[in-house]
Amino acid sequence: MMQVRLALAVSFADPARADDELALAHQLLDGLDQRSNTLLAQVVALIKDAGTSGVTDRAHHLHRDVEAAGLPFLHRFVELALAFHHAVRGEHQDLAATIDRLRRLTATGDFAYFTDISHFMAALPLPEPSTIRWTTSDDDVRSAWHGLVRARQEHLLAH
């Protein structure tokens, strides 16, 4: 479980390391019945590949797998991956639709910070004051998430 979460954490900032961490996660999961971690590993792969072609289709397939597995909390992670992908590609309409879906998925308050993060990634203002209290200033968090998008864009241009 922790290996998948480590891969998740590095997937936004370091796609190459995420590849390595994800490979190890798959080795550790092989032969185990850890459906939620296996699906979360697929989310990691989406984030790692954000900005490239095919991510949106893979996300739609993953939503179906999440639904079939009866693990609805993972829809939020898929939408966060899509938000990152659309922010990297500058797909503003798709990002707005993703944020709307994410807002509905976090309406109970669980994972509500995913909605804020999605706005931050695209340098969008929050539609209303946030209830989230970060360990650093909102501006620092906003800058860090938007910086990950810019870094991914630069990475993609270089390759």
Side-chain angles (χ1 to χ4, degrees):
M1 289 177 13
M2 296 311 298
Q3 184 61 37
V4 174
R5 276 139 183 90
L6 173 60
L8 177 66
V10 301
S11 63
F12 288 97
D14 191 344
R17 180 172 174 203
D19 256 343
D20 295 339
E21 300 298 347
L22 198 52
L24 180 56
H26 284 298
Q27 281 182 333
L28 295 170
L29 289 169
D30 188 39
L32 298 178
D33 187 13
Q34 289 284 319
R35 190 69 179 146
S36 67
N37 285 308
T38 300
L39 291 168
L40 189 55
Q42 291 179 42
V43 171
V44 171
L46 291 177
I47 296 167
K48 176 187 70 68
D49 296 339
T52 65
S53 62
V55 169
T56 303
D57 289 337
R58 288 168 45 206
H60 292 303
H61 290 292
L62 186 51
H63 272 304
R64 286 196 295 265
D65 292 345
V66 164
E67 197 62 34
L71 298 166
F73 78 95
L74 288 173
H75 287 300
R76 298 171 187 128
F77 287 88
V78 176
E79 293 299 332
L80 182 64
L82 278 172
F84 185 56
H85 173 71
H86 294 314
V88 168
R89 292 175 66 109
E91 298 170 339
H92 303 291
Q93 288 181 336
D94 291 331
L95 178 62
T98 300
I99 290 173
D100 285 343
R101 288 189 305 272
L102 198 49
R103 187 175 292 112
R104 285 191 302 275
L105 288 167
T106 61
T108 64
D110 292 340
F111 298 90
Y113 57 96
F114 280 12
T115 304
D116 286 10
I117 288 170
S118 296
H119 283 86
F120 295 165
M121 286 189 285
L124 296 172
L126 294 174
E128 54 198 36
S130 178
T131 60
I132 305 304
R133 297 296 164 246
W134 303 99
T135 57
T136 184
S137 76
D138 289 0
D139 288 339
D140 287 345
V141 174
R142 175 183 295 279
S143 177
W145 281 103
H146 188 63
L148 290 171
V149 169
R150 287 192 316 269
R152 180 61 59 92
Q153 290 167 334
E154 291 171 12
H155 171 79
L156 291 170
L157 286 174
H159 290 94

